[in-house]
Amino acid sequence: MGEYQTLKWESDGRVVTITLDRPEKLNAMSWDMFLEIGRAFEAAGADPEIRCVVVTGTGRAFSSGADLTDPANLVSSAFDAKDRMERINRTVRAFVDCPKPTIAKVTGVAAGAGCNLALSCDFIVATSQASFAELFVKRGLLVDFGGTWILPRLVPLAKAKEIALLGDTISAQEAADIGLITRLCEPGEIDEVVKQLTERLVALPPR
């Protein structure tokens, strides 16, 4: 799986946990992290021994989205923008198309690209302290990182438009009520809930 500078990779042989590891930035995604997320999911998908992938964040956030203070995230020309979007799209496809079941373990804020990374997983387990937000509109940006595709597939179109066009923060309870997440639990329970879910998935036929 190689070495990572912005992620932690932990595996017991069948379940791999990919942890976004920039807690001082609320796990905001630098350019390096964008690329490493794609590489990690590609590696997990290609490993025949891995049966399930968990993605989470270090500290009090899942991910606050793209790190807009990272100079490497800025573009200098239309050509540069096209090249970067193609690279980011490869990252999006890596986790959306991952052939293994994926679980987002969300214990804090999941915003922008971080929100869409979580929503693109097959299962989303969140604590009552988690929150979700499509903040792009408040930055004058289009919803990206797969959000325009996944959001209206999780909630009714009218609700998806409300979430995307207003950019409001959604509490974990509201996310559960509208069907945005799979399971809601208390902070002290999430490790066991995720563990039980991975055990059930690993016990099922792999194909």
Side-chain angles (χ1 to χ4, degrees):
M1 73 290 297
E3 297 297 325
Y4 301 98
Q5 301 301 314
T6 65
L7 310 175
K8 293 179 182 177
W9 172 290
E10 300 170 287
S11 174
D12 67 1
R14 296 188 299 175
V15 178
V16 63
T17 299
I18 299 169
T19 305
L20 312 184
D21 192 30
R22 299 183 75 216
E24 74 285 356
K25 292 279 192 175
L26 296 180
N27 301 317
M29 298 181 190
S30 63
W31 181 246
D32 287 341
M33 182 181 278
F34 275 124
L35 299 182
E36 289 191 345
I37 290 171
R39 186 155 59 87
F41 272 90
E42 287 175 350
D47 189 331
E49 298 301 316
I50 293 174
R51 301 281 296 278
C52 181
V53 182
V54 177
V55 59
T56 190
T58 300
R60 59 192 181 91
F62 180 81
S63 172
S64 57
D67 184 356
L68 299 181
T69 68
D70 180 8
N73 271 336
L74 303 178
V75 297
S76 58
S77 67
F79 178 81
D80 188 30
K82 181 176 183 295
D83 178 68
R84 285 170 179 268
M85 289 309 298
E86 287 175 349
R87 288 172 181 245
I88 289 177
N89 186 57
R90 178 176 173 178
T91 290
V92 174
R93 294 300 298 264
F95 56 79
V96 171
D97 294 340
C98 182
K100 315 298 171 66
T102 55
I103 303 170
K105 178 181 174 184
V106 185
T107 59
V109 61
C115 178
N116 291 328
L117 172 59
L119 297 185
S120 294
C121 290
D122 298 311
F123 299 88
I124 307 157
V125 181
T127 72
S128 56
Q129 296 177 345
S131 62
F132 301 83
E134 298 282 6
L135 294 177
F136 301 94
V137 67
K138 295 186 176 181
R139 306 289 185 268
L141 301 171
L142 294 172
V143 175
D144 65 13
F145 218 55
T148 53
W149 186 86
I150 192 63
L151 190 58
R153 286 167 171 77
L154 295 175
V155 297
L157 182 57
K159 191 64 179 179
K161 288 180 179 180
E162 179 184 344
I163 293 170
L165 297 179
L166 295 179
D168 292 339
T169 298
I170 299 171
S171 69
Q173 184 61 62
E174 182 181 357
D177 291 343
I178 64 176
L180 197 67
I181 65 176
T182 311
R183 295 186 185 175
L184 175 63
C185 58
E186 292 305 314
E189 301 171 344
I190 192 167
D191 288 342
E192 183 60 26
V193 170
V194 171
K195 179 175 180 290
Q196 290 179 5
L197 184 54
T198 59
E199 288 175 347
R200 291 187 63 186
L201 290 168
V202 166
L204 291 168
R207 291 188 181 274

